[in-house]
Amino acid sequence: DHRPEGMSHILLIIDGMTDPHFRIADYPSMDSMQRLAPVDYSQGGRPETLACTLRILGLREIPPHIRPVVEAYGAGLEVAPDDLWLRGSWYHIDEQGQPDRQESPDTFTLRTDTTTDVEPHDLGQGHWLFRLREERYLCERLTLPTPFVTGKMGDLLPEGDETIRDYFSHLATPRHRLIVWDKGVSCPLPQLQEPSVIIAAEKVLLGLGKMLDWETVTHPSLTGDIDSDLDLLARLTLEAADGTDRVIVHVNGADQAGHRRDEASKRAFLHRIDSELLPLLLRSPHHLTLTSDHGCDPVTGCHLAGPQPILCSGLTHLRGNEGYRKQFNSL
């Protein structure tokens, strides 16, 4: 490590930051930072938070079917080797019967009169995990829709098991449906070399920290949405940076607004990051790198692949740290 003593590296990941209309020049604090070559962390796969974040952190091979399991760890749930986990989100359904944005119904009660042994867990913000005990063998059999891909979806229900399909067919209202879009089973996660502190609201980031045996920091005021307390986030980040070599900060409000197809709120939240969070981090003695895992288009509500900007508070630390430079430019 070539960083001066007492100086930490803060890696700020703004989930879903970019879109076809995003311009760094619109954000003065970002525009003041130096730029490295952009990187597409999706690498031709689905632009999804966990896989893209693991690539940001330097992992080349991403284990399949782990997102729901990582979130189960983040939610403090027991993870057994033979359980199958399903991840779902509520969507508003348009006049053509297709999901057009993430949105939860005002009221909905999960079924209790079912013979299917499905154990639901509320992750908040309209996202759910479902555990099927000792049903690991179903993982490869199930085919799931992918709402984050632009274009019309045909069947919005899981295929491959009629009992599971029937259970989720009832999780709907006239204008909303809970769509299961990911599946997972327990598997080991390769260890990453540099221990870090993770500061986040999202269960997937907190679960990642737990699986890597890293310290995690969260707070009820870090909501994972556009009302998150950015002043508190800055204080927690700088406190952590004073005591460790690397702090990973994940901010999710722009992605949530994008999924709701709320372009004005997405832009306003990014301006808040630029005017409230970034100046405090840039004035600190610590190095700062800012990137996004993937884009999120507020016109379609969908995740976007493509090169993501990498902004630095100064390239002097990278001149003495070629390994870190290569981490971003060899992906």
Side-chain angles (χ1 to χ4, degrees):
D1 192 343
H2 298 273
R3 292 187 296 274
E5 184 177 354
M7 189 173 290
S8 180
H9 174 221
I10 299 169
L11 172 58
L12 177 61
I13 303 172
I14 302 178
D15 199 315
M17 178 175 72
T18 63
D19 56 60
H21 299 291
F22 174 82
R23 300 290 182 270
I24 293 173
D26 294 335
Y27 304 94
S29 294
M30 292 188 202
D31 199 35
S32 72
M33 301 173 71
Q34 295 171 285
R35 307 182 191 187
L36 295 182
V39 173
D40 184 354
Y41 303 115
S42 65
Q43 293 189 3
R46 185 170 73 183
E48 180 270 320
T49 295
L50 178 60
C52 292
T53 298
L54 287 171
R55 293 191 182 101
I56 291 173
L57 299 180
L59 196 64
R60 300 298 184 267
E61 298 296 328
I62 310 300
H65 309 316
I66 64 166
R67 164 84 186 244
V69 174
V70 174
E71 289 187 294
Y73 276 108
L77 302 174
E78 172 199 3
V79 177
D82 292 326
D83 291 348
L84 169 66
W85 296 85
L86 301 177
R87 170 64 148 85
S89 303
W90 279 100
Y91 283 81
H92 180 268
I93 303 300
D94 65 18
E95 298 296 335
Q96 288 72 46
Q98 298 297 320
D100 60 1
R101 63 182 181 272
Q102 282 190 4
E103 181 182 274
S104 299
D106 292 334
T107 58
F108 185 85
T109 302
L110 289 176
R111 291 179 68 199
T112 57
D113 58 333
T114 174
T115 58
T116 307
D117 187 18
V118 179
E119 182 183 292
H121 296 276
D122 186 0
L123 296 177
Q125 298 177 321
H127 307 303
W128 288 76
L129 284 180
F130 300 87
R131 185 214 311 260
L132 286 83
R133 293 186 181 272
E134 299 186 0
E135 302 284 359
R136 181 188 185 100
Y137 70 96
L138 289 176
C139 188
E140 295 300 332
R141 182 193 301 177
L142 286 177
T143 301
L144 305 177
T146 53
F148 299 132
V149 176
T150 303
K152 294 295 184 182
M153 295 170 55
D155 198 333
L156 304 180
L157 294 171
E159 295 183 356
D161 184 274
E162 288 303 315
T163 304
I164 293 176
R165 182 182 175 88
D166 178 70
Y167 177 85
F168 287 102
S169 71
H170 292 84
L171 300 189
T173 72
R175 275 286 171 261
H176 296 87
R177 176 175 290 280
L178 195 144
I179 300 174
V180 178
W181 55 267
D182 208 354
K183 56 188 177 179
V185 293
S186 179
C187 66
L189 186 66
Q191 292 297 302
L192 299 174
Q193 293 300 312
E194 186 179 359
S196 304
V197 174
I198 293 182
I199 303 178
E202 296 297 297
K203 299 294 191 297
V204 66
L205 270 295
L206 299 176
L208 177 62
K210 184 173 182 178
M211 292 182 73
L212 293 172
D213 199 27
W214 291 354
E215 181 183 350
T216 58
V217 177
T218 191
H219 189 279
S221 295
L222 304 181
T223 65
D225 213 322
I226 59 174
D227 60 347
S228 198
D229 187 335
L230 297 183
D231 183 64
L232 173 64
L233 179 60
R235 294 202 306 271
L236 293 174
T237 299
L238 295 176
E239 288 171 7
D242 286 340
T244 192
D245 285 339
R246 184 169 73 167
V247 182
I248 298 164
V249 183
H250 179 266
V251 186
N252 193 47
D255 192 62
Q256 289 293 327
H259 287 317
R260 291 192 293 266
R261 300 176 69 172
D262 186 346
E263 184 170 6
S265 291
K266 178 178 180 178
R267 301 280 177 252
F269 184 68
L270 290 176
H271 280 291
R272 280 190 59 211
I273 291 173
D274 195 73
S275 63
E276 298 175 26
L277 177 62
L278 281 181
L280 296 175
L281 301 184
L282 289 168
R283 286 198 296 267
S284 80
H286 306 293
H287 300 311
L288 174 66
T289 302
L290 182 156
T291 192
S292 182
D293 48 359
H294 52 70
C296 187
D297 189 347
V299 174
T300 65
C302 297
H303 280 177
L304 298 172
Q308 301 302 310
I310 302 171
L311 309 177
C312 299
S313 59
L315 292 179
T316 54
H317 68 291
L318 292 177
R319 294 191 188 106
N321 192 341
E322 289 302 314
Y324 183 68
R325 180 193 292 273
K326 290 176 182 177
Q327 173 180 322
F328 284 104
N329 288 292
S330 64
L331 287 171

